[in-house]
Amino acid sequence: MESAQPAKSGESAVMPIPRKKPGRPLSFDRERALEQAMLVFWQYGYDTTSLNDLTSAMGITPPSLYGAFGDKEKLFLEAVQRYTEKHEEKTKRCLAEAPTAREAVHALLKMVAIEHTCPQHPPGCMMDTVVTNCTAASAHLQTMLAQMKERKIARFTARIQRGIDEGELPPGTSAEALSSFYCAVLNGMTPLARDNASCEQLQSVVMMAMNAWPAAPAASNTSATPGGPA
């Protein structure tokens, strides 16, 4: 057997990278399987969802799940990404397209009431369900989801602050406090929806919440009163 030739001066001794063998094509629709996994996590949370729950809903075997997604946690992270991609755009549109902060918040609350009671998926918000059902073993996932919610709250607060800056809300209004109030209303819709509240019931909650919106400041009249002193 020939011995390996030493590298010449000035040359680096780089080992050749072996070529990977092409993997076998998947025997199932990966996107459809991921959608089903997302619905299972949405319904039961992370910790209480078993491998059997997932494979049964996805219509695949455990080896196929590991081969396509890695493991349960990686599958969950993909499911969260899928969920946020579906719902994040709607939230951004509500906050960006409405002409006033009040209309933006109202539109978002109404949209959430409809989404949380849609019969085509589990009730409530997937993120809220997962966070509520997390145990100490998945605390790192709970932390990740909490950080995602903080970013959403920050956008909410920024839209309200813009309303304050534009004179829509009274001076001295706290954007953080008002945002926290309406986020609490949003978060409270999940347990109501999971307790079989109807869309009409959630819309009633929205109406009551909007009654708490601060009154617009009175328009100041700086012009001289006709017939009065100059």
Side-chain angles (χ1 to χ4, degrees), residues 25-214:
L26 295 177
S27 59
F28 61 91
D29 185 334
R30 191 182 191 279
E31 288 301 304
R32 181 186 176 281
L34 179 57
E35 177 76 14
Q36 294 305 308
M38 181 192 74
L39 295 175
V40 174
F41 286 126
W42 193 341
Q43 180 67 48
Y44 301 112
Y46 178 76
D47 288 307
T48 54
T49 294
S50 67
L51 187 63
N52 185 62
D53 293 331
L54 290 167
T55 54
S56 296
M58 298 165 76
I60 62 177
T61 62
S64 293
L65 185 152
Y66 290 125
F69 300 99
D71 56 28
K72 177 184 170 182
E73 182 172 323
K74 290 177 182 175
L75 172 60
F76 171 72
L77 294 176
E78 279 202 51
V80 168
Q81 181 178 0
R82 187 179 186 87
Y83 177 85
T84 53
E85 286 173 354
K86 282 189 167 188
H87 294 82
E88 198 74 4
E89 192 57 38
K90 296 178 182 178
T91 299
K92 288 180 180 179
R93 266 202 314 271
C94 284
L95 296 178
E97 294 179 358
T100 66
R102 188 186 193 284
E103 290 173 276
V105 171
H106 195 189
L108 180 58
L109 290 174
K110 289 193 294 183
M111 183 268 289
V112 168
I114 294 170
E115 287 289 322
H116 279 17
T117 54
C118 176
Q120 297 179 357
H121 54 65
C125 169
M126 175 183 171
M127 313 288 269
D128 290 340
T129 299
V130 171
V131 168
T132 302
N133 294 333
C134 272
T135 65
S138 56
H140 61 296
L141 296 177
Q142 190 174 26
T143 299
M144 179 201 72
L145 295 176
Q147 291 170 346
M148 292 175 68
K149 290 193 70 173
E150 285 174 6
R151 290 194 291 271
K152 186 181 295 185
I153 292 171
R155 285 195 296 271
F156 209 59
T157 304
R159 184 62 187 90
I160 293 175
Q161 184 62 55
R162 179 179 149 197
I164 296 171
D165 296 341
E166 293 176 351
E168 176 195 342
L169 289 153
T173 300
S174 169
E176 289 78 12
L178 197 57
S179 175
S180 295
F181 171 76
Y182 284 102
C183 284
V185 174
L186 285 170
N187 294 339
M189 287 191 190
T190 288
L192 289 174
R194 292 183 72 85
D195 285 340
N196 298 316
S198 66
C199 182
E200 290 74 19
Q201 288 173 306
L202 293 189
Q203 294 290 7
S204 296
V205 172
V206 171
M207 182 180 67
M208 294 299 295
M210 293 313 301
N211 287 339
W213 187 266

